């Protein structure tokens, strides 16, 4: 977060970082939760649910990557709308991996600046999985890559911790991208 705030001499100073953003986000969520009917508020008492609402009510900042900005710019009315419409679900952060430079950059930088070709090392991406449906969950089956037409040159494999399962507090999906040697011809 980036804000102008008071310093110890009652003057303005530029403040930034998680230590500044966290109290603002938590304050907004507390106000929002207190305004919801109890039945609706109870669906948001899971840490993953709150994180999903924050992501739904935020928009990416231009010129910053996803590792630099978290959820992006928090929009209070959009966050309220997301909370009021919330239904528990599973999701991933980032929610989309479009690595085309014209689409995914700068948000997915540096991933979108790394060309994929057959003789290079694979590209690895870790997605954070959020599960607001239950306290714990597990993959029913391993994730499956279904390429679009002409997408068979890209090999995608996944890694995840299927022994510990997913909880509202943790979960990951490792994605490994590589290009088939048949694509180099």
């Amino acid at each position: 977060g980036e804000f102008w705030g008071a310093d110890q001499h009652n003057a303005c100073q530029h403040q930034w970082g998680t230590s500044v953003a966290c109290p603002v986000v938590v304050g907004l969520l507390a106000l929002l939760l207190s305004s919801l009917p109890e039945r609706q508020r109870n669906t948001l008492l899971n840490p993953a649910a709150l994180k999903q609402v924050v992501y739904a009510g935020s928009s990416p900042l231009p010129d910053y990557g996803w590792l630099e900005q978290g959820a992006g710019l928090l929009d209070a009315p959009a966050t309220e709308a997301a909370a009021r419409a919330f239904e528990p679900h599973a999701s991933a952060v980032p929610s989309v991996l479009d690595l085309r430079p014209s689409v995914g950059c700068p948000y997915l930088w540096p991933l979108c600046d790394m060309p994929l070709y057959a003789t290079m090392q694979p590209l690895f991406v870790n997605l954070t999985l959020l599960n607001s449906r239950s306290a714990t969950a597990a993959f029913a089956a391993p994730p499956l890559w279904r390429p679009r037409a002409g997408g068979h040159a890209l090999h995608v494999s996944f890694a995840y911790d299927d022994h510990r399962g997913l909880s509202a507090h943790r979960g990951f999906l490792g994605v490994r991208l590589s290009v088939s040697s048949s694509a180099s011809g």
Side-chain angles (χ1 to χ4, degrees):
E2 224 175 295
F3 302 92
W4 282 98
D7 68 8
Q8 64 270 25
H9 306 293
N10 290 327
C12 288
Q13 72 176 10
H14 188 237
Q15 301 172 343
W16 64 93
T18 305
S19 299
V20 176
C22 185
V24 172
V25 172
V26 169
L28 174 65
L29 289 174
L31 276 170
L32 186 60
L33 288 171
S34 70
S35 73
L36 295 174
E38 184 177 355
R39 186 184 100 267
Q40 195 173 13
R41 185 172 51 244
N42 288 341
T43 66
L44 293 166
L45 296 180
N46 171 320
L50 292 174
K51 195 167 187 177
Q52 288 169 327
V53 165
V54 167
Y55 272 93
S58 301
S59 57
L61 294 166
D63 303 323
Y64 290 95
W66 65 298
L67 299 172
E68 298 170 287
Q69 65 174 298
L73 179 63
L74 184 63
D75 178 335
T79 304
E80 178 184 17
R84 292 193 184 280
F86 184 79
E87 293 289 333
H89 62 284
S91 62
V93 176
S95 59
V96 174
L97 281 179
D98 192 333
L99 301 179
R100 295 175 293 173
S102 61
V103 178
C105 277
Y107 184 69
L108 288 173
W109 184 89
L111 303 175
C112 56
D113 273 350
M114 297 179 181
L116 287 172
Y117 50 91
T119 58
M120 72 176 282
Q121 291 291 320
L123 177 64
F124 294 92
V125 181
N126 283 322
L127 305 179
T128 299
L129 300 179
L130 302 172
N131 171 32
S132 58
R133 296 188 69 152
S134 64
T136 62
F139 285 99
L144 178 64
W145 163 248
R146 292 188 178 135
R148 293 183 188 166
H152 294 284
L154 183 64
H155 290 283
V156 179
S157 57
F158 304 97
Y160 57 97
D161 189 354
D162 58 348
H163 301 291
R164 292 181 9 179
L166 305 172
S167 77
H169 306 283
R170 65 171 159 69
F172 74 91
L173 179 64
V175 181
R176 179 183 186 268
L177 305 167
S178 62
V179 176
S180 155
S181 59
S182 64
S184 65

